[in-house]
Amino acid sequence: AELSGMSGGRWPEDCVALPQLDEATLLESVCQRYARGEIYTYVAQVLLAVNPCQDLPSLYGQGKMARYSSRPSPGARPSPHPYALASAALRGLRRGEGQAVVISGESGAGKTETAKIILAYLQANAGGSGGAPEAGLGSIEGGVERDVLAMGRVLESFGNARTARNGNSSRFGKLLRLRLRAGAQHGVGELAAQTTTYLLETSRVAGRAPGERSFHVFYELLAGLSYEGRTSLGLAAAASGHTLARISDASPSGAGNPGLEAEERRRDIERFGELRAALSGLGLKAEDETGIWEVLAAILHLGDAIPSEEDQPPEEARGDAPFVVSERSLGWAARMLGLDVDALRKVLTKKRIAIKGRRSFYEVDRTRPQAEALLRGLVVTMYGRLFKRLVASMNVAVGAGVAASAGARSGTPPAATELALLDIYGFESLATNSLEQLLINLTNERLQQLFSERCLLSEQALYQREGLTYQPVGVEDRSGAMQAVARVLDVLDDMGQQRWRGLRDATDSRFCDAALNQAGKAAGSGQKFLFPARLRSRGVARPPPGGVGGIECRTVLRHQGACEPASAAFLVAHYAGKVEYSREGWLDRNEGRSSQEVEDLLDASEKKFVRGLAEQEPAVGSSGAAPRQFRSVSKQHRRDLDALLNCLNATPSVHFIRCFRPNNSQHPCHVEKAYLLEQLRSCGTVQLLQLMHQGYPNRMELREVVERFAPLLPPDLRTGSPRTLAQSLMLALGVPRGDWTLGVSQLFLKAGQLAALEDLRNGSTALEPAAVAAARRAIVRGRWQRAAVAGKCVAHLARLARQIRGAKLRRRLRAVLLATRFVARSRCLALRAQARRVVLRRRLRVVFRAAVFVVRARRLARAARTAREVAEAPARERGAVAVPTREVAAGPLPESREVPELAKVRSQKAVPARAQKALPEPTAPRRAELWSEAPPQSPGNCRPLPSPNRVPASRQQSLADWDEQSSMTVPASLESLASIRRWQELRPRPIEKRARPEDARRRTSENGIVLEQPAKRMGFDEASSVLLNFRVSPNGG
């Protein structure tokens, strides 16, 4: 009920003024206006256009143009129309500000017609506003506007075609740049135009989907030429007579309908007359026009040169069998191109192969697929270069020149007095999508990103700079989709390079697999935009979406329901939906350089116009010749697209027109709401409406507010700052507080409030005294409030200063206390550290001394062990007990004698350890006395030990040295067992390692006496006295 009662049942022209903010309200507003014939609607500064699918003469014409050509009041906004945007762009152009108009939408949404409407307005109003010339732009006597329209007519015939979704679809992108150049006399300006084209779908010449047509010019030529003209070109009267112009009967748009075909033929005849008039108006010479028709006729004849497989015998229809060419079609093609028919036949049927390392060639027969590929490359190359040549000629005719075109390609920023009009192909999802559709959709992705940046992100950034409160609107980040497409195109270029070098495994199928592998490796950011399509037969369930690396499984089924490898495809999730791309034709479509045979064929023509289509390079092997390099179509398009976006980003003011299709069938007066709502969502219109509904579409600089509206206020309200004056103005007008706000440098207004200001300025309305008094009271109250706030601020600052001073004093005292504690603590720590260092030095000194002692003790122990081992060896040989020599105070030791009780001792058991411990330790004088009381040698009761006299002469000297330095024999006076025990105790023993008191060792002397004695650990003094009494022999024993 609230919506139906708006403005007497009329829906607002700007959707921002809708009382309810949701998708349903936006859709209903657009549909209701469309039903009344109002196909244009505003959403803030963006114009929405719904294709009426029919002619509406009442919306256009000179009368309508006159309403928009006059300068409107700043508060009054013109009704939504392309004329309104064209008028605003033209006014900005006259002010010296660069302008751009971007027309976008799906294929069949009416972009081309909208661009023609804008060009018609520019043609009628470029001389000035309402017929009055303005400064910097005067009457244009050269008719450049008419030339621009003529250029558009030529480009429509050569670049547009009928598709399944659109009867006049642009198969290329077009950027028209209108530039004002200062005149030489009286400041009168001159208008120069330049057209830059992007990615013509030349593959449509050789093949297309069922029900679609090739470019319009072929059908206009067949329908518009007279009988004599068609006879001179060898053409048939109908399009069905030529293979490349033939339309399949399976057409969703009604092909095969006699009424529709008659209507199209009538329209083609009319358009052919307009085309010839446009070419003549652009200054095209008669011989060049004849050359154009001949090239188009040659393309049609070349399409008929190889008969279809249905017209040939089965044995000739095989791909590897020889084929038959149509002599009539081949002869007419050679005649139109100025070629020798035998040379053309030879190139078509024979393949010349160069011998590696030599300059000779050999020839082999071409197969049917090879010949068809050669013909396809020839016709595609000729048509593409013909289109480029026409564009260059028309740019020269309207004053743009080659230098300007080069600047546009390089992405140089537009001039200050330049208007750029972009009419580019819309988003496409056809039955068969390949490289052209992928590049077209990539272009639309980039343009959608431009729209988000200029309309959504920039608006939110402005609110942030001005300090306004708003609810942020989420904008989908589409950079992942563009990166996914860029990875696919990079893989395609790599595969094209491999095929150019002659690698046999560079195929379309391998390209698709490699592209999907790269996408799977790059996945992981959570954004999935590239998916593979896998084969699925009937009855097999589809795996769930979101597999490994964001891969979704999908099946491409043919109409017959069969699963073939060629039907497999990959999908890309674009902003307008997922598009499925086929697996075939990628490498051929991406190859931007034709074969050398095609170049040689065009260069051998007798006609100058045809030779101009050749790009002849030096032959391989000649001086200064470089090998032919691979040329990528996708890489060139991406470079051109980057240059286009750089130009648009550098333009100060960009106007957007979003075109929509009301239904899929292109029927007039019928709207499919679900289909239209999906388009509104995908292009970002809903997000823009949400932002503008809570934001402020109208804004004005505070300086401009003071200059324009200050005289309207009473004198007492004119004083103050610009912010105060703007506030007084809003209060005096009685504008609700929620409909305006003040930023840092601008006054922001809701929709419709700027018109109220302009009505006040024009005298249509007057300030009410009550409102002025209320404004005055509000201003005074505001001043008192500001004074009170200032007083409170001063008092608060005083308290804050005292608090700061007290806080500073407390912080200083606290710092002094902390410093004192820190110094004391530091000193305590220093003393502790010093004490720890002293203890550590002591411990290190002890450890060092112990280590030195251990090292020396080990060395002495090794020396003693070595001496003992050397001493024991001679003693065993002599049969006597040898002991180390020891100095005795009583003098030298006596001669060795045999011990009387040795035999008895051998027969007895070893003396226990307790008996050994019971023996008293003899003192030093006693030990000397024992040694001196040794009895003389007795042969009867003692067996003498071996002496050096009994040793052979060979060893006497060594034994004498041993007896003298390091050995002695048992004294003869030790006749009793007690004496032997005491003597053994006096023997020097080696230091026991790891000996424990409870351990006992069995010791056996050299003479057979077995004793048991507990091992004991020597002290330091005892071990030192024993070790120091050892003597070492000269030889190291």
Side-chain angles (χ1 to χ4, degrees):
E2 182 182 359
L3 294 177
S4 61
M6 293 184 308
S7 303
R10 294 182 59 85
W11 291 76
E13 296 179 346
D14 192 346
C15 294
V16 176
L18 290 173
Q20 296 181 7
L21 178 62
D22 51 28
E23 296 178 351
T25 306
L26 173 63
L27 178 63
E28 188 66 21
S29 174
V30 174
C31 292
Q32 291 293 335
R33 291 180 58 85
Y34 180 80
R36 291 196 304 266
E38 299 173 351
I39 62 175
Y40 301 110
T41 307
Y42 281 129
V43 175
Q45 305 299 328
V46 179
L47 179 65
L48 307 184
V50 183
N51 188 1
C53 302
Q54 61 180 341
D55 294 333
L56 298 177
S58 59
L59 293 181
Y60 314 101
Q62 296 295 331
K64 282 285 185 179
M65 291 182 185
R67 295 176 52 185
Y68 293 94
S69 59
S70 60
R71 181 185 296 274
S73 59
R77 189 178 187 183
S79 300
H81 201 282
Y83 290 163
L85 266 66
S87 177
L90 193 58
R91 289 194 303 270
L93 194 64
R94 289 165 180 159
R95 292 194 302 266
E97 300 176 358
Q99 304 289 315
V101 179
V102 178
I103 307 173
S104 60
E106 291 191 5
S107 178
K111 299 183 300 298
T112 302
E113 296 298 325
T114 304
K116 291 163 64 175
I117 292 170
I118 293 178
L119 286 177
Y121 180 87
L122 294 177
Q123 177 192 14
N125 296 273
S129 179
E134 298 185 6
L137 183 64
S139 299
I140 302 174
E141 301 177 357
V144 177
E145 296 89 349
R146 292 189 299 272
D147 293 343
V148 171
L149 291 179
M151 180 189 299
R153 182 64 194 85
V154 173
L155 293 177
E156 182 178 351
S157 293
F158 281 86
N160 290 21
R162 191 186 77 185
T163 64
R165 295 170 58 88
N166 187 7
N168 188 27
S169 176
S170 297
R171 310 316 301 164
F172 71 105
K174 177 180 64 178
L175 177 65
L176 177 63
R177 305 174 73 174
L178 303 175
R179 183 175 302 173
L180 292 178
R181 298 184 300 188
Q185 298 178 356
H186 309 292
V188 177
E190 183 183 356
L191 186 66
Q194 169 209 337
T195 298
T196 305
T197 59
Y198 303 94
L199 191 66
L200 177 68
E201 190 186 11
T202 54
S203 60
R204 178 169 290 270
V205 178
R208 53 206 166 271
E212 297 185 352
R213 296 205 319 179
S214 184
F215 293 101
H216 292 328
V217 66
F218 291 104
Y219 306 94
E220 295 170 0
L221 178 67
L222 295 175
L225 275 178
S226 62
Y227 175 79
E228 293 78 8
R230 289 197 305 270
T231 304
S232 62
L233 299 178
L235 298 176
S240 58
H242 299 281
T243 303
L244 296 183
R246 191 174 301 161
I247 305 174
S248 174
D249 293 337
S251 174
S253 58
N257 186 349
L260 180 61
E261 292 180 356
E263 178 64 24
E264 287 183 344
R265 182 174 179 83
R266 183 192 62 79
R267 191 180 305 143
D268 291 336
I269 295 174
E270 180 182 351
R271 289 178 177 176
F272 185 71
E274 296 175 357
L275 175 61
R276 301 192 69 170
L279 292 174
S280 301
L282 290 171
L284 190 68
K285 299 179 181 179
E287 55 269 20
D288 291 340
E289 183 178 348
T290 303
I292 293 174
W293 309 141
E294 291 177 347
V295 170
L296 295 176
I299 292 175
L300 294 176
H301 288 304
L302 287 174
D304 301 332
I306 300 180
S308 61
E309 297 182 359
E310 292 81 3
D311 300 337
Q312 286 189 346
E315 62 275 4
E316 296 181 0
R318 296 195 311 250
D320 56 348
F323 60 95
V324 178
V325 298
S326 174
E327 295 296 335
R328 178 186 179 279
S329 299
L330 196 66
W332 274 108
R335 181 178 176 183
M336 294 295 101
L337 296 177
L339 301 174
D340 182 62
V341 63
D342 295 331
L344 181 59
R345 185 188 302 105
K346 183 177 181 180
V347 170
L348 187 61
T349 58
K350 299 292 183 180
K351 182 178 180 180
R352 193 171 61 167
I353 301 177
I355 300 177
K356 187 176 181 180
R358 300 174 60 182
R359 296 185 180 181
S360 58
F361 301 86
Y362 68 95
E363 295 179 349
V364 296
D365 293 335
R366 291 186 187 273
T367 61
R368 181 185 181 88
Q370 292 175 350
E372 290 177 347
L374 178 64
L375 281 179
R376 183 167 53 250
L378 179 59
V379 298
V380 166
T381 299
M382 287 194 301
Y383 191 83
R385 293 178 183 176
L386 176 63
F387 184 81
K388 291 181 180 179
R389 182 169 179 174
L390 279 174
V391 172
S393 302
M394 291 185 295
N395 281 334
V396 174
V398 295
V402 180
S405 178
R409 289 289 182 184
S410 61
T412 55
T417 57
E418 180 178 287
L419 189 150
L421 178 61
L422 179 63
D423 174 21
I424 204 162
Y425 21 64
F427 180 82
E428 287 189 351
S429 180
L430 306 178
T432 302
N433 302 289
S434 189
L435 177 63
E436 289 84 359
Q437 282 69 41
L438 182 61
L439 297 179
I440 287 172
N441 294 336
L442 173 62
T443 304
N444 284 271
E445 289 278 2
R446 298 288 300 273
L447 293 177
Q448 178 65 22
Q449 183 186 24
L450 174 68
F451 172 78
S452 300
E453 293 174 353
R454 298 299 292 260
C455 293
L456 299 177
L457 299 180
S458 62
E459 189 73 15
Q460 299 185 63
L462 175 63
Y463 291 168
Q464 292 180 358
R465 291 194 305 268
E466 294 292 332
L468 304 185
T469 302
Y470 71 100
Q471 185 68 26
V473 176
V475 179
E476 184 182 3
D477 184 14
R478 299 296 307 172
S479 59
M482 291 180 284
Q483 293 174 4
V485 175
R487 286 193 295 268
V488 171
L489 296 178
D490 290 340
V491 174
L492 179 62
D493 291 343
D494 295 340
M495 203 66 61
Q497 288 278 5
Q498 296 179 16
R499 194 177 78 160
W500 186 264
R501 292 195 296 265
L503 299 180
R504 296 181 178 271
D505 57 347
T507 60
D508 293 329
S509 178
R510 185 168 174 265
F511 151 70
C512 292
D513 296 337
L516 292 174
N517 290 335
Q518 291 295 329
K521 294 178 182 178
S525 61
Q527 298 178 345
K528 304 175 180 62
F529 300 96
L530 183 63
F531 309 90
R534 298 177 181 175
L535 293 178
R536 173 173 63 92
S537 60
R538 291 182 176 179
V540 180
R542 180 179 302 176
V548 179
I551 291 179
E552 177 182 296
C553 298
R554 181 167 177 174
T555 303
V556 185
L557 296 180
R558 294 187 179 273
H559 297 289
Q560 294 82 4
C563 261
E564 299 182 7
S567 64
F570 63 87
L571 296 92
V572 178
H574 295 287
Y575 74 95
K578 291 183 180 180
V579 179
E580 186 177 75
Y581 296 92
S582 64
R583 187 178 285 265
E584 300 175 350
W586 289 88
L587 296 180
D588 292 337
R589 296 171 187 267
N590 191 44
E591 192 169 311
R593 188 186 295 275
S594 60
S595 63
Q596 187 63 42
E597 295 171 328
V598 172
E599 300 294 346
D600 295 340
L601 196 62
L602 295 176
D603 190 63
S605 174
E606 298 177 354
K607 298 183 178 181
K608 181 180 179 181
F609 188 86
V610 177
R611 287 198 306 271
L613 301 179
E615 293 181 359
Q616 189 63 31
E617 299 178 357
V620 179
S622 61
S623 59
R628 289 165 56 86
Q629 301 294 329
F630 172 73
R631 184 183 298 171
S632 171
V633 173
S634 63
K635 184 174 293 184
Q636 180 62 39
H637 177 71
R638 283 186 285 175
R639 284 196 293 262
D640 296 341
L641 185 58
D642 292 338
L644 171 64
L645 269 297
N646 291 336
C647 290
L648 295 178
N649 287 323
T651 304
S653 179
V654 180
H655 308 273
F656 289 93
I657 301 179
R658 311 308 296 261
C659 300
F660 302 96
R661 289 167 53 100
N663 51 72
N664 266 318
S665 57
Q666 295 289 83
H667 288 198
C669 302
H670 174 64
V671 177
E672 296 178 4
K673 292 187 176 182
Y675 180 64
L676 180 59
L677 180 59
E678 186 63 28
Q679 297 178 70
L680 291 171
R681 287 174 178 170
S682 62
C683 69
T685 306
V686 177
Q687 291 88 341
L688 178 63
L689 177 63
Q690 294 174 352
L691 179 63
M692 289 303 180
H693 187 83
Q694 63 171 327
Y696 303 88
N698 301 325
R699 65 284 313 267
M700 185 182 299
E701 296 287 340
L702 294 178
R703 174 183 52 80
E704 185 179 358
V705 173
V706 173
E707 294 176 356
R708 297 179 59 187
F709 300 102
L712 303 179
L713 294 175
D716 56 339
L717 295 180
R718 299 176 188 176
T719 59
S721 63
R723 291 177 58 85
T724 303
L725 191 145
Q727 182 181 4
S728 303
L729 181 64
M730 293 294 102
L731 294 175
L733 286 174
V735 180
R737 190 63 183 87
D739 291 349
W740 63 277
T741 186
L742 290 174
V744 176
S745 60
Q746 295 182 6
L747 171 64
F748 293 85
L749 301 170
K750 289 287 187 178
Q753 299 302 330
L754 187 59
L757 290 178
E758 290 298 328
D759 292 341
L760 176 64
R761 185 170 179 267
N762 297 332
S764 301
T765 59
L767 296 177
E768 297 181 0
V772 173
R776 188 178 290 108
R777 288 193 302 268
I779 294 300
V780 173
R781 184 169 55 251
R783 291 176 179 175
W784 279 108
Q785 290 176 354
R786 287 192 294 272
V789 171
K792 292 181 180 179
C793 182
V794 171
H796 177 71
L797 289 177
R799 290 194 303 270
L800 184 61
R802 289 193 298 269
Q803 294 176 2
I804 291 175
R805 287 195 296 269
K808 287 184 178 179
L809 181 59
R810 287 193 296 271
R811 283 197 298 270
R812 290 178 182 177
L813 292 177
R814 190 180 297 109
V816 172
L817 179 60
L818 292 177
T820 304
R821 292 180 179 179
F822 176 75
V823 170
R825 182 66 177 172
S826 300
R827 290 180 179 177
C828 181
L829 293 177
L831 294 177
R832 291 181 181 179
Q834 184 178 1
R836 284 196 296 269
R837 286 195 297 270
V838 172
V839 173
L840 183 60
R841 280 196 297 268
R842 290 177 181 175
R843 292 178 179 177
L844 290 176
R845 190 181 298 112
V846 171
V847 171
F848 178 74
R849 290 178 179 177
V852 171
F853 169 76
V854 170
V855 171
R856 291 180 179 177
R858 287 181 177 179
R859 290 178 181 175
L860 292 175
R862 285 196 297 269
R865 185 168 57 253
T866 304
R868 186 172 64 253
E869 291 176 356
V870 173
E872 290 177 355
R876 285 194 297 268
E877 292 179 1
R878 292 178 302 193
V881 179
V883 295
T885 304
R886 185 167 185 178
E887 297 292 340
V888 184
L893 295 175
E895 247 181 19
S896 65
R897 298 187 182 185
E898 187 174 348
V899 180
E901 299 179 358
L902 285 179
K904 184 178 180 180
V905 172
R906 294 189 187 100
S907 62
Q908 296 179 355
K909 294 183 180 180
V911 181
R914 291 189 300 272
Q916 297 180 9
K917 290 183 180 180
L919 298 177
E921 181 69 20
T923 60
R926 180 57 182 165
R927 286 196 296 269
E929 181 180 357
L930 289 174
W931 285 103
S932 62
E933 294 178 355
Q937 182 177 358
S938 174
N941 58 0
C942 182
R943 184 172 59 85
L945 297 175
S947 63
N949 297 330
R950 300 180 183 180
V951 179
S954 60
R955 300 184 59 186
Q956 287 183 3
Q957 183 62 32
S958 60
L959 290 175
D961 296 339
W962 170 257
D963 291 339
E964 181 181 357
Q965 298 180 8
S966 61
S967 66
M968 73 177 193
T969 56
V970 180
S973 59
L974 300 179
E975 298 178 355
S976 64
L977 183 59
S979 301
I980 294 175
R981 295 280 189 267
R982 293 188 181 91
W983 177 79
Q984 286 181 351
E985 291 177 357
L986 295 178
R987 289 181 58 190
R989 300 182 181 88
I991 300 176
E992 297 290 339
K993 294 183 179 181
R994 299 183 181 272
R996 293 180 295 180
E998 62 270 19
D999 295 337
R1001 292 187 179 181
R1002 183 179 302 274
R1003 302 181 182 276
T1004 305
S1005 62
E1006 290 80 355
N1007 51 13
I1009 300 176
V1010 179
L1011 303 176
E1012 288 186 358
Q1013 181 176 352
K1016 64 178 181 178
R1017 188 184 302 274
M1018 288 188 179
F1020 179 79
D1021 297 335
E1022 184 180 0
S1024 301
S1025 62
V1026 172
L1027 293 176
L1028 293 177
N1029 287 323
F1030 274 106
R1031 290 186 181 181
V1032 182
S1033 63
N1035 57 1

